[in-house]
Amino acid sequence: MPKFKRVNIEISNVCNLKCSFCPAGEADQQVMDVARFRAVIDQVAPVTEEVVLHLLGEPLGHPEFVRILDACEAARVPVNIVTNGVLMTGDRPEQLLRPIVRQVSFSLHSFEDNFKGSDPRVYLRRIRKFVDEALARRPDLYINLRLWDLDGASHDDSARNVSMRELLAQSFQFNWEDVRVDLRRRKNWRIPGLRGTHSSSARVYLHFDSRFEWPDMSQAVRAEKGFCHGLSGHFGIHANGSVVPCCLDHKAEIKLGNVFADPLTEILASPRAVAIRDGFARGELVEDLCRRCAFISRF
């Protein structure tokens, strides 16, 4: 079986925030315990380049987050963390600097949605402190400062998160006039002037995207034709063990199996999984949920 670029493993669908653009909180709360995570990571390790500890929920809120990273380290699987950054206290920043962590993405657009009118200085100061520590100790670490709040293709197409944008420019000493992104071609912009150890260029980026509508069976059919990287580049595993072809399948509408009940290799080779993968290769959307997904139009 060829390797996937990534596998999204939802260690918890519980989140400390409630964002208007995210369906977290709609499903029953689930937390994957460490024993079950070890069983999952042992099956995932041979088939992926990295794991993303996120589908829904806030990974830093997992009560045994350190042991989750220990399991990834034991399995030698690089880790990608997606976090809102609010829980960057205690020893969590130190854990994110561990060598097994390949990338950390901070969803900065979550702040205004939850703390509208609040001053983001303390929040952003914690993140900047983490960036400085990474520059000194982990210059190889990729750090994305996400602003997934655009209405169009350019960062100029949004009036959201104004105070956050102003403070970002002040904290990292750049001018927004210099930022060049186009979501149709390039979504990230490396922050200039940052240097890691040995004067190497820092891997710290502003990362942009537009807000999107999560696919749902209640929505109208959008297309019969299209392509997705689901089951060729990635797939997802919910906290309850449900295997889905795509990280946007937040309700497990396309449940291919349960990794706690059946071997992952059998689930990925099931007739339904093969039909989905072959359909994408032909440019056909064989699943009803995929036909209702607006994100597919981006490919």
Side-chain angles (χ1 to χ4, degrees):
M1 178 178 292
K3 278 204 171 187
F4 294 86
K5 183 177 178 62
R6 71 178 189 275
V7 176
N8 287 69
I9 304 178
E10 181 185 75
I11 57 176
S12 170
N13 66 3
V14 182
C15 190
N16 58 315
L17 300 182
K18 188 170 181 59
C19 298
S20 61
F21 50 81
C22 178
E26 294 178 3
D28 293 337
Q29 294 189 346
Q30 301 279 343
V31 177
M32 188 183 296
D33 63 40
V34 175
R36 282 191 153 184
F37 180 80
R38 289 197 190 102
V40 171
I41 199 68
D42 285 346
Q43 294 189 68
V44 165
V47 301
T48 190
E49 296 177 11
E50 69 175 16
V51 294
V52 184
L53 299 183
H54 180 71
L55 200 154
L56 292 180
E58 170 52 54
L60 298 188
H62 193 287
E64 298 183 285
F65 181 70
V66 175
R67 295 177 66 193
I68 294 289
L69 289 185
D70 289 343
C72 294
E73 200 168 63
R76 299 182 180 180
V77 182
V79 177
N80 185 324
I81 304 289
V82 179
T83 173
N84 56 49
V86 173
L87 299 179
M88 288 289 287
T89 58
D91 71 341
R92 294 186 186 95
E94 187 69 22
Q95 295 301 322
L96 297 187
L97 291 172
R98 291 172 60 168
I100 198 63
V101 179
R102 173 183 285 175
Q103 178 172 293
V104 179
S105 296
F106 294 103
S107 297
L108 303 185
H109 48 272
S110 65
F111 187 88
E112 183 180 75
D113 214 46
N114 289 271
F115 306 102
K116 197 169 186 66
S118 299
D119 189 339
R121 283 183 174 83
V122 174
Y123 167 75
L124 193 56
R125 195 176 299 130
R126 287 176 184 162
I127 293 174
R128 178 62 209 249
K129 182 179 179 181
F130 174 79
V131 170
D132 290 339
E133 284 292 317
L135 293 177
R137 297 163 52 189
R138 285 288 316 278
D140 60 315
L141 181 66
Y142 287 94
I143 300 176
N144 287 326
L145 305 177
R146 285 183 171 183
L147 286 166
W148 286 18
D149 58 1
L150 307 187
D151 293 320
S154 166
H155 75 85
D156 295 323
D157 295 330
S158 176
R160 299 187 181 104
N161 296 291
V162 174
S163 59
M164 177 64 69
R165 290 165 183 262
E166 291 175 351
L167 287 175
L168 271 173
Q170 293 172 19
S171 179
F172 290 92
Q173 299 182 325
F174 66 88
N175 294 314
W176 279 104
E177 292 79 7
D178 298 328
V179 178
R180 295 288 182 268
V181 293
D182 186 330
L183 301 189
R184 295 161 296 193
R185 299 176 180 86
R186 188 184 67 177
K187 297 183 178 183
N188 57 24
W189 183 77
R190 189 198 293 259
I191 298 178
L194 300 179
R195 292 288 182 269
T197 53
H198 311 298
S199 297
S200 58
S201 295
R203 299 175 176 180
V204 183
Y205 297 85
L206 297 179
H207 193 277
F208 300 90
D209 212 330
S210 56
R211 294 196 176 188
F212 59 88
E213 188 176 9
W214 291 75
D216 192 278
M217 289 299 294
S218 65
Q219 297 166 2
V221 171
R222 297 173 182 270
E224 303 284 338
K225 302 288 186 179
F227 172 77
C228 177
H229 294 286
L231 291 177
S232 60
H234 69 275
F235 64 91
I237 301 175
H238 283 262
N240 64 6
S242 296
V243 179
V244 293
C246 173
C247 60
L248 295 185
D249 186 3
H250 63 285
K251 292 183 179 180
E253 302 276 11
I254 311 175
K255 182 179 177 181
L256 302 174
N258 191 293
V259 74
F260 300 143
D262 300 301
L264 181 62
T265 52
E266 291 184 10
I267 294 172
L268 296 177
S270 67
R272 190 177 188 183
V274 172
I276 294 169
R277 186 165 48 244
D278 289 350
F280 288 147
R282 296 191 306 269
E284 297 179 8
L285 308 179
V286 301
E287 290 283 344
D288 285 338
L289 185 69
C290 299
R291 294 169 181 165
R292 290 163 168 79
C293 180
F295 204 88
I296 281 181
S297 65
R298 302 184 179 203
F299 300 119

